Amino acid sequence: MASSPFLSKTTISFSSSISTSLPWRPSPFSSSSTAFRSNPRRRTLTVQSKIREIFMPALSSTMTEGKIVSWVKSEGDVLSKGESVVVVESDKADMDVETFYDGILAAIVVGEGETAPVGAAIGLLAETEEEVAEAREKAKSSSSGSPASSSPVEAAVTPTPPPATATPAPAIAQPAPSATATYTPKKGVATPFAKKLAKQHKVDIASVVGTGPFGRITPADVEAAAGIVKPTKAVAAEPTSVAAAPPKPSAAAPPLLPGSTVVPFTTMQAAVSKNMVESLSVPTFRVGYPINSDAIDALYEKVKPKGVTMTALLAKAAAMAVAQHPVVNASCKDGKSFSYNSSINIAVAVAINGGLITPVLQDADKLDLYLLSQKWKELVEKARSKQLQPHEYSTGTFTLSNLGMFGVDKFDAILPPGQGAIMAVGASKPTVVADVDGFFSVKSKMLVNVTADHRIVYGADLAAFLKTFANIVENPESLTL
C-alpha cells in the first residue's frame, strides 16, 4: 500500500492507493503464458477496483485523532494532484490537506465537525465516473456494517480461500471461482501503535485481521494475536447474574450541580490535558532566583520602537544562558538515558483562543535580537490563526513562560514532556533592597522560577544556569550584539 501522508511547507498531501490494477503479463523467459499461469508460485495478484481511501493524516507526533474543520471539495468534484481537499484540525493547528492523486471525490466518509483516528478513512477517491456510484455504495455499507466486516473499498484476489466466516463486501464484482474476493490486511493498514506492539511481541502484522474502521489493525488486534489477555477486576458472586448487574453508583462520576453545562474538550485542550498528565510521571524540582531588571527594562524602552518585545529579549537571554549550560537543554524520553540536543530551540508559551501553544524560536542563540523579534512576531500571528506547521511548535528544547506581562509576580510552570527545563518569568516590580553598606534603595526586581527534570538536571546545575541568566539580564549589552 502506498504510504501517506506527505508533508509540504504549507499543506499535507495524502491518499493511499487501496486498489491499483495490476494486469498479468507473461514472463519473457517462459515458453508460453499458459505454462506460467499453471505455476502457483508465480501467480500474480490482481486487484479489481481502483478506488482509493483518503486517510486522516498524522499532523504531529502527538496527534492521535483529527477533526474535520471543512471540506474544500464536495462529492463529485474532479481533483487534480496537489489540490487542497480538506482542512483538518490537529491538536495544535488547522492545516490544508492536498490529494496526491488525480481522481473524483466519490464519497465523504467523515463529515465536517466530526473526528476520526489517525489512519482512518475520511473519504473515497475514484479514478473514473463509473466507480463513483460503487464507491458511494461501499461507503454506505461500511458505515452500517460491523467493524470486523470486509473492507468496503478493496477486493484483492488471493491464491487461498478465506475462512468460512468471511463475507465478501457487497457491490463488488466477484472474480473467477477459483479465487475469492476478500479483504486481506496489509502492512500499511495497521495503526502506528499497533505496529509498535507487533514488533514488541514479535507478531507478524500481515497475519493479523483488523477489527477497526475499514479493517484497520488496532492495538487490541495485535494483543489478541499475541495471546495477551487484559486482567479483569474480580466480581463478588451474587445471587443474580453478574452480566446483568448494573454499574455501582459509587463508580459513577459525581452528579452535576443544577444549571451546570458539560463542555467537551477541543482537540487542542485534549492534547494539553494529555501532556499535563504525562508530565506528572517526571520527577521535577523548582528553583527561584530574584533578578535586578532595571538594566533590561531600560534596554527594552530603547528597542521597543523597533518592534522588539520583552518576550524576545528574555528568549534571547535564555538562549545565551542555555548555550553555556547544555545540560539544561538536554532531554530524557525513555527514563534510561538522556540526550544533549544540538540546537537551542526556545519554545515560548502563547495563550490563544481555546488553548495554549508553544511556538518555537529555532536556533535562538544564533539569531540577532532584531531578526529573532521579527521571527517571533510571525510565529505569534500564525499561532493565533492556527496556521503553525508541526516543526514550528513541536521542536522546542527549552521552554519560556512569561506571565509577567499580565502583572503576575510569581508562578511555577509545568515541565513539558520531553524537555529538561521550563522557565517561568514574573513581573518586574519596584522592591526595597539594602546594599552591602546597609543603605536602602528601590530597585526593580523580577522573580524567575525554573522547573527541571531531576533525572537530568541537578540543583547545582540549575543554580549555575540561573546565575548566568541573571548576569545576562542585569548586563544586557550582549543581547544586541
Side-chain angles (χ1 to χ4, degrees):
M1 178 177 289
S3 62
S4 67
F6 297 83
L7 295 176
S8 64
K9 290 184 178 179
T10 58
T11 55
I12 300 291
S13 299
F14 74 97
S15 184
S16 179
S17 176
I18 291 307
S19 47
T20 304
S21 179
L22 299 174
W24 176 84
R25 296 175 184 270
S27 170
F29 302 102
S30 61
S31 58
S32 67
S33 61
T34 304
F36 178 84
R37 292 179 181 175
S38 64
N39 187 348
R41 296 183 180 179
R42 304 289 297 277
R43 179 175 295 171
T44 303
L45 299 183
T46 304
V47 182
Q48 303 297 324
S49 179
K50 293 183 180 179
I51 300 171
R52 306 176 192 273
E53 283 182 348
I54 300 176
F55 294 145
M56 174 64 73
L59 304 180
S60 71
S61 59
T62 59
M63 177 177 170
T64 58
E65 65 177 12
K67 180 180 179 181
I68 303 298
V69 177
S70 64
W71 281 93
V72 181
K73 299 294 183 180
S74 303
E75 290 186 354
D77 287 352
V78 178
L79 308 179
S80 299
K81 178 181 177 180
E83 271 192 294
S84 294
V85 180
V86 62
V87 179
V88 173
E89 177 188 12
S90 71
D91 52 358
K92 299 294 184 182
D94 295 348
M95 300 189 70
D96 291 328
V97 180
E98 297 177 348
T99 177
F100 196 63
Y101 297 96
D102 295 335
I104 302 169
L105 182 57
I108 293 176
V109 179
V110 181
E112 295 182 359
E114 298 179 358
T115 60
V118 170
I122 60 175
L124 300 180
L125 188 69
E127 288 191 358
T128 63
E129 290 282 357
E130 292 74 14
E131 296 167 345
V132 172
E134 181 185 0
R136 291 177 180 174
E137 184 64 28
K138 293 171 185 175
K140 291 179 181 178
S141 63
S142 66
S143 61
S144 60
S146 62
S149 62
S150 302
S151 172
V153 294
E154 181 173 2
V157 177
T158 57
T160 56
T165 56
T167 302
I172 297 181
Q174 297 297 322
S178 60
T180 304
T182 184
Y183 172 75
T184 303
K186 299 180 181 179
K187 182 178 180 181
V189 183
T191 65
F193 186 49
K195 293 179 182 178
K196 182 179 179 181
L197 283 177
K199 185 177 180 181
Q200 290 177 351
H201 299 297
K202 298 180 180 180
V203 174
D204 183 7
I205 197 72
S207 65
V208 180
V209 177
T211 61
F214 294 94
R216 288 286 175 279
I217 298 174
T218 65
D221 298 330
V222 176
E223 291 176 345
I228 299 174
V229 180
K230 293 185 177 180
T232 57
K233 294 182 179 180
V235 181
E238 297 181 5
T240 58
S241 174
V242 176
K248 294 185 180 296
S250 59
L256 295 175
L257 296 176
S260 300
T261 303
V262 176
V263 180
F265 278 161
T266 64
T267 308
M268 179 176 292
Q269 289 171 330
V272 172
S273 174
K274 177 178 178 294
N275 287 338
M276 295 302 97
V277 172
E278 184 179 343
S279 70
L280 295 177
S281 64
V282 178
T284 60
F285 72 106
R286 297 165 179 82
V287 175
Y289 203 101
I291 300 175
N292 187 326
S293 58
D294 285 330
I296 199 168
D297 288 341
L299 176 61
Y300 172 60
E301 293 301 324
K302 292 181 181 179
V303 297
K304 183 179 179 180
K306 299 180 181 179
V308 178
T309 64
M310 178 58 76
T311 297
L313 281 168
L314 294 172
K316 178 64 176 177
M320 293 175 64
V322 167
Q324 299 181 46
H325 302 273
V327 69
V328 180
N329 197 50
S331 59
C332 175
K333 297 182 179 180
D334 59 2
K336 300 177 181 178
S337 61
F338 68 96
S339 59
Y340 287 99
N341 295 300
S342 58
S343 299
I344 298 176
N345 300 335
I346 304 297
V348 184
V350 174
I352 61 175
N353 186 24
L356 175 73
I357 197 168
T358 52
V360 177
L361 289 163
Q362 298 184 359
D363 296 316
D365 58 319
K366 300 177 183 177
L367 300 177
D368 67 70
L369 180 62
Y370 302 102
L371 182 59
L372 184 142
S373 296
Q374 181 181 354
K375 180 66 174 176
W376 175 241
K377 182 179 179 181
E378 295 172 356
L379 288 171
V380 171
E381 290 176 353
K382 293 177 72 174
R384 288 177 175 161
S385 61
K386 301 185 74 175
Q387 294 299 316
L388 286 174
Q389 299 300 302
H391 70 277
E392 293 176 321
Y393 61 77
S394 61
T395 56
T397 59
F398 181 92
T399 298
L400 172 68
S401 181
N402 178 20
L403 288 182
M405 65 178 74
F406 300 109
V408 177
D409 57 354
K410 178 183 177 181
F411 70 103
D412 290 325
I414 300 176
L415 182 68
Q419 294 187 19
I422 179 173
M423 175 183 289
V425 181
S428 175
K429 292 190 174 183
T431 306
V432 177
V433 297
D435 58 20
V436 293
D437 297 322
F439 292 99
F440 291 93
S441 61
V442 177
K443 295 183 180 296
S444 294
K445 290 272 188 179
M446 67 179 185
L447 185 61
V448 174
N449 289 338
V450 177
T451 303
D453 185 343
H454 213 329
R455 299 172 300 177
I456 310 170
V457 186
Y458 301 134
D461 300 323
L462 206 52
F465 164 75
L466 284 169
K467 185 176 181 180
T468 300
F469 178 76
N471 184 58
I472 294 172
V473 170
E474 293 173 354
N475 302 277
E477 296 80 11
S478 59
L479 295 176
T480 57
L481 297 180

